Amino acid sequence: MRRIAIPLLCLLTFCAVGIRAQTEPVERGHSATEADSLCAGMITPEKIPYDTYIISGEQADPQTVYSTGQFVYINKGAGDGVKVGDEFMVMREQRDFLHVRFFDQEHKLANSLGQQWSDVGRVRVQVVHPRVSIAQVTYACTYMERGDHVRPAVAYPQPPFRPLKDLDRFAPPSGKATGRVVRGKNLQAAEGRGAVVYVNLTGVQPGDYIRFFRPTAPHDTSIYQLGGMADHVFGFGDTPQRWRSADLPREVLGEGVVMRTSPTTATVLIYNSLREIYLGDWVEIE
């Protein structure tokens, strides 16, 4: 019995730890990190000029991608005003090759907001020639490759997070502007804590707090939840009185903080989530 009891006790202990880990929120620091700030990306309708870009780099014959500490060549030099010590940000257009529609208005809405851009990293100029500059990769969000856009570096904030214990999972509507999760960073459709999403909210500033929510029975059609299923098919518990979605509490999914803004969207970092957040879910300004 003793041989059985000891392993069983250990197993129950591990199970208890696992359950606790799933039910208790995990602090993700008190503010956005450097990686969150430099690698958030954005959607913007503004045209980003393709006049400065990465030509190649060291060991150009076998090597086509570059990372932190390596050297790349930029198509601008002393004749264009580039100086040693100049810092640039490297960006890349993000294209959706799958074209899967996750909610009914997704493609129309996304196309109206502009082009999605991913942050590739940062470089600092080390050597300047008349027409070409040599820059070292100082920060890499992902691999850097030939043809990536190069723009003057912009300093983005690292806004603080609210304490996780302050999340009101039954919060009533704030009455402020609402929008939807239109795209996810790297084109992911399901997001959670630590992920970045792009929402069609304007009139916000970096550091503003955003609440994610979902109606109990949305009338719009989504991959994860078909409109009308909860009320027409399941009847909200088959009660004597018919209940509409508008009469029931909404489902609060989590909170985020605005990292960047554009004329059409806000880049939001999810710092707290109770469950998965999908494309098409709703957001409001807190």
Side-chain angles (χ1 to χ4, degrees):
M1 289 295 293
R2 188 175 181 180
R3 292 180 179 178
I4 298 176
I6 293 177
L8 181 60
L9 180 61
C10 293
L11 177 61
L12 292 175
T13 302
F14 284 126
C15 290
V17 171
I19 293 172
R20 182 179 180 185
Q22 294 175 13
T23 56
E24 292 186 2
V26 178
E27 288 286 351
R28 192 182 174 272
H30 300 290
S31 67
T33 65
E34 183 182 34
D36 295 328
S37 174
L38 298 183
C39 304
M42 63 180 179
I43 294 178
T44 180
E46 298 173 333
K47 299 296 182 182
I48 296 180
Y50 196 29
D51 56 350
T52 310
Y53 47 85
I54 292 177
I55 306 171
S56 189
E58 282 192 311
Q59 303 182 41
D61 286 338
Q63 188 166 344
T64 59
V65 297
Y66 304 89
S67 60
T68 303
Q70 296 183 310
F71 292 91
V72 295
Y73 308 148
I74 300 174
N75 71 318
K76 293 290 178 69
D80 305 290
V82 178
K83 304 180 297 298
V84 172
D86 284 351
E87 295 189 6
F88 294 94
M89 54 194 290
V90 183
M91 307 171 65
R92 185 182 303 148
E93 289 185 342
Q94 191 111 49
R95 300 289 184 182
D96 182 7
F97 297 103
L98 295 178
H99 303 294
V100 176
R101 191 175 68 173
F102 288 90
F103 64 98
D104 55 349
Q105 298 295 319
E106 179 192 353
H107 290 169
K108 180 180 179 181
L109 183 57
N111 291 336
S112 70
L113 299 178
Q115 173 64 47
Q116 182 170 341
W117 292 86
S118 62
D119 290 306
V120 177
R122 301 282 175 125
V123 299
R124 181 181 293 113
V125 175
Q126 304 293 332
V127 180
V128 177
H129 294 304
R131 296 181 57 197
V132 176
S133 298
I134 302 171
Q136 186 173 29
V137 181
T138 56
Y139 196 96
C141 302
T142 183
Y143 62 89
M144 206 168 286
E145 65 181 2
R146 300 170 183 175
D148 281 340
H149 289 61
V150 174
R151 308 303 305 159
V154 175
Y156 293 114
Q158 296 176 218
F161 301 153
R162 286 180 175 172
L164 299 190
K165 63 181 180 60
D166 292 343
L167 171 66
D168 184 358
R169 64 191 304 161
F170 303 111
S174 67
K176 298 180 180 180
T178 61
R180 303 190 77 172
V181 178
V182 182
R183 281 284 184 264
K185 181 181 173 181
N186 299 324
L187 302 176
Q188 293 181 194
E191 307 287 4
R193 186 178 297 135
V196 170
V197 294
Y198 310 112
V199 303
N200 62 327
L201 278 178
T202 57
V204 294
Q205 300 295 328
D208 288 347
Y209 295 99
I210 303 297
R211 181 179 293 117
F212 297 87
F213 68 93
R214 185 181 302 157
T216 300
H219 293 289
D220 55 310
T221 301
S222 303
I223 279 183
Y224 64 88
Q225 191 175 21
L226 298 179
M229 287 293 290
D231 52 356
H232 290 89
V233 177
F234 298 108
F236 290 128
D238 196 23
T239 55
Q241 179 182 351
R242 182 176 179 82
W243 292 84
R244 301 177 305 153
S245 173
D247 298 325
L248 296 172
R250 62 193 184 160
E251 185 178 5
V252 173
L253 305 173
E255 291 179 310
V257 63
V258 176
M259 302 292 293
R260 306 181 193 176
T261 61
S262 81
T264 55
T265 61
T267 298
V268 178
L269 170 65
I270 304 171
Y271 67 84
N272 191 8
S273 62
L274 297 173
R275 54 192 55 84
E276 295 86 356
I277 295 172
Y278 294 103
L279 299 185
D281 279 332
W282 291 82
V283 297
E284 67 179 2
I285 303 172
E286 292 194 25

